Amino acid sequence: MKLINVLDINKLQPLTCDFYEDDPKVVAKNLLGKLLVRNYKGNILSGRIVETEAYYGRGDPASRAYKGINKISELMFGESGKLLVYVVHAHHLVNVVAHSFNEVGAVLIRSIEPMQGIDIMKINRNLDNSLQLCSGPGKLTKSFGICKDHHRLNITNKDSEIIIVDDNIFRKFDIIESNRIGVKKDLPRRLRFYIKDNEWVSRK
DNA sequence: AGGAAGATCTACT
DNA sequence: GTAGATCTTCCTA
């Protein structure tokens, strides 16, 4: 399951707007297996997305958009394919705005299997265990150096510091669905998704 | 102006 | 399994 090859940043094509213009649950599942690629001070950090959660709008009590538009949720009402970064308990969390036309929603990236730039991630986390480097939403933003500076960033733009790409290596894997983690009021739906048997998820 | 909440993490028992 | 750290935003006064 390890991927050793080195990415050529110039050949990478980010996922387009169309990819994100769908039901958040669909996008959350489709993001599994894709690569998050970060240009970090000239170095490439990358890893495979292995765990995500879908969030909706007014009907979703766990969502930042539940009570309508505010400083954090406003992006969820707008254009898909932008990063939504906000802080909870002093940790940065990163989402991608994703919803069908005129809808509201986003996908939280919860865990990543680190691939490239692991040494830099270890420095950022002050941690040597690569299994725990990105196994949680607050951990992966620290590993990748993602912060409020990236709020509103359009990740469908080829020149963005952060993009998500399909490297066409993972084609088949089973997806486990569960309830979302850490939310006070969840919906009676399974909106957390992760790759079965993957060692880098935040929990099984 | 103050306080509570929150899509978390770590260290402890 | 529980507690404490931590910080931005929002609500109430």
Side-chain angles (χ1 to χ4, degrees):
Chain A
M1 197 163 244
K2 274 271 184 184
L3 186 129
I4 310 295
N5 66 321
V6 173
L7 298 170
D8 182 347
I9 190 76
N10 296 310
K11 290 182 183 170
L12 298 177
Q13 290 299 325
L15 296 174
T16 60
C17 254
D18 302 357
F19 180 91
Y20 301 103
E21 284 174 356
D22 208 332
D23 187 302
K25 173 178 171 162
V26 173
V27 179
K29 292 170 98 166
N30 286 341
L31 275 174
L32 294 178
K34 302 296 188 288
L35 249 45
L36 183 75
V37 182
R38 160 94 158 103
N39 186 341
Y40 182 75
K41 302 172 185 171
N43 299 292
I44 301 302
L45 308 180
S46 71
R48 194 171 304 286
I49 297 170
V50 297
E51 178 182 347
T52 57
E53 281 178 358
Y55 287 85
Y56 290 84
R58 284 204 169 273
D60 182 357
S63 172
R64 295 276 142 172
Y66 182 53
K67 292 181 177 173
I69 296 179
N70 57 42
K71 201 173 178 188
I72 292 172
S73 72
E74 58 163 341
L75 276 195
M76 295 173 70
F77 292 79
E79 194 183 339
S80 293
K82 289 185 174 180
L83 282 193
L84 191 171
V85 181
Y86 80 100
V87 176
V88 59
H89 295 290
H91 298 277
H92 292 276
L93 273 60
V94 64
N95 301 249
V96 188
V97 176
H99 54 77
S100 303
F101 184 69
N102 271 352
E103 299 287 322
V104 181
V107 174
L108 170 69
I109 300 176
R110 280 197 60 92
S111 295
I112 287 177
E113 175 184 338
M115 288 174 28
Q116 200 169 331
I118 293 179
D119 290 345
I120 293 173
M121 296 185 199
K122 286 180 174 175
I123 293 168
N124 288 347
R125 288 288 318 284
N126 189 26
L127 181 79
D128 200 41
N129 182 341
S130 61
L131 269 182
Q132 292 170 26
L133 224 40
C134 303
S135 59
K139 298 178 186 178
L140 69 91
T141 50
K142 195 170 180 195
S143 284
F144 276 80
I146 296 172
C147 63
K148 293 291 272 229
D149 294 349
H150 305 104
H151 191 52
R152 300 178 184 280
L153 184 68
N154 182 343
I155 59 166
T156 65
N157 184 335
K158 184 178 177 305
D159 299 319
S160 282
E161 250 179 43
I162 299 167
I163 57 174
I164 298 178
V165 306
D166 185 354
D167 66 353
N168 289 304
I169 289 193
F170 266 16
R171 275 276 152 249
K172 288 185 179 167
F173 47 81
D174 290 329
I175 295 175
I176 308 287
E177 306 184 353
S178 82
N179 287 296
R180 292 175 293 188
I181 291 178
V183 297
K184 199 169 169 187
K185 287 190 175 184
D186 203 358
L187 287 169
R189 301 176 60 186
R190 295 193 300 272
L191 293 172
R192 169 177 175 251
F193 309 97
Y194 62 93
I195 294 180
K196 187 184 178 189
D197 296 328
N198 187 279
E199 296 297 312
W200 285 265
V201 298
S202 65
R203 26 175 138 152
K204 301 282 181 183

